[in-house]
Amino acid sequence: MRNLSLFIAMSLDGYIAKPNDDLSFLKIVEKEGENYGYADFTAGIDTIIIGRKTYDYVVREISSSHYDNGQRDVYVITRTARPKEGRTTFYTGDITELVNRLKSMEGKNIYCDGGAEIINELLKHDLIDEFIISVIPVLLGSGTKLFKDGRPEHALECITAKTFETGLIQLQYKRKR
């Protein structure tokens, strides 16, 4: 069975975006030649699940090839149907059915890149196996929280904690079952 991993960044006070879905705070830890393990991580995945708002932001700021590089399947979770683009599917169905189907298929691991609604729905159904969370050294005070109240409790096992020159700390946890 394939694992579903969350690889995401948040502020020290737990926000993944400032108000109005602003991700500009991520730029404070940008450093030439440093990708914080992202390249190694993505080498082990062949499927991405992402919320539509996060997808639109990344496409606007970077490009659609950041996700759809022709090597992996991308599922953009959305309420509005759109035609498939390359290997990118705009998925309007039940996310738990999608993830359970993907986990049962052959292949590499599955990567969830947010957003918060998607993450919390996956947590509600105990579908996330690994958490890689990069903590950005900033207190935002408001915005979109990574973890919402009202979800079930999940016991985790710390695998690694790495510090970087930029002040970023990266935490890796696996779900205890």
Side-chain angles (χ1 to χ4, degrees):
M1 175 152 319
R2 300 161 75 189
N3 283 327
L4 174 66
S5 299
L6 174 65
F7 191 109
I8 199 161
M10 70 175 192
S11 65
L12 182 59
D13 53 350
Y15 294 98
I16 60 172
K18 292 166 53 170
N20 300 314
D21 302 318
D22 180 357
L23 300 177
S24 62
F25 76 99
L26 298 174
K27 294 181 192 302
I28 66 173
V29 293
E30 284 184 357
K31 183 180 176 191
E32 180 91 23
E34 179 61 73
N35 71 16
Y36 300 106
Y38 185 77
D40 289 339
F41 171 78
T42 57
I45 61 109
D46 64 4
T47 306
I48 298 174
I49 296 171
I50 186 167
R52 197 251 332 133
K53 285 192 274 185
T54 305
Y55 175 81
D56 286 349
Y57 178 87
V58 171
V59 167
R60 186 174 58 252
E61 294 295 316
I62 302 172
S63 81
S64 61
S65 66
H66 179 74
Y67 293 119
D68 186 353
N69 63 1
Q71 307 282 320
R72 52 191 173 220
D73 295 316
V74 179
Y75 292 88
V76 178
I77 310 304
T78 182
R79 290 181 182 93
T80 306
R82 286 171 44 182
K84 188 172 181 168
E85 296 174 10
R87 291 184 68 175
T88 300
T89 300
F90 296 90
Y91 186 81
T92 58
D94 183 294
I95 190 170
T96 59
E97 289 176 13
L98 172 65
V99 170
N100 284 322
R101 181 172 49 83
L102 292 172
K103 282 184 159 197
S104 71
M105 297 168 60
E106 290 291 318
K108 294 180 178 181
N109 288 326
I110 305 161
Y111 164 31
C112 177
D113 189 26
E117 285 182 51
I118 304 303
I119 293 164
N120 285 281
E121 186 67 18
L122 294 171
L123 284 171
K124 188 169 122 182
H125 297 282
D126 196 18
L127 292 170
I128 300 177
D129 303 295
E130 177 185 43
F131 300 78
I132 301 168
I133 301 173
S134 296
V135 181
I136 309 298
V138 65
L139 297 169
L140 296 178
S142 64
T144 304
K145 279 279 202 189
L146 174 55
F147 300 116
K148 307 266 188 233
D149 292 338
R151 71 190 135 52
E153 181 177 316
H154 293 87
L156 305 174
E157 175 185 352
C158 184
I159 305 302
T160 61
K162 296 179 189 173
T163 59
F164 295 85
E165 286 180 17
T166 59
L168 180 143
I169 297 174
Q170 190 171 76
L171 306 168
Q172 180 183 7
Y173 294 93
K174 286 203 176 187
R175 179 77 171 89
K176 278 188 179 179
R177 303 249 179 229

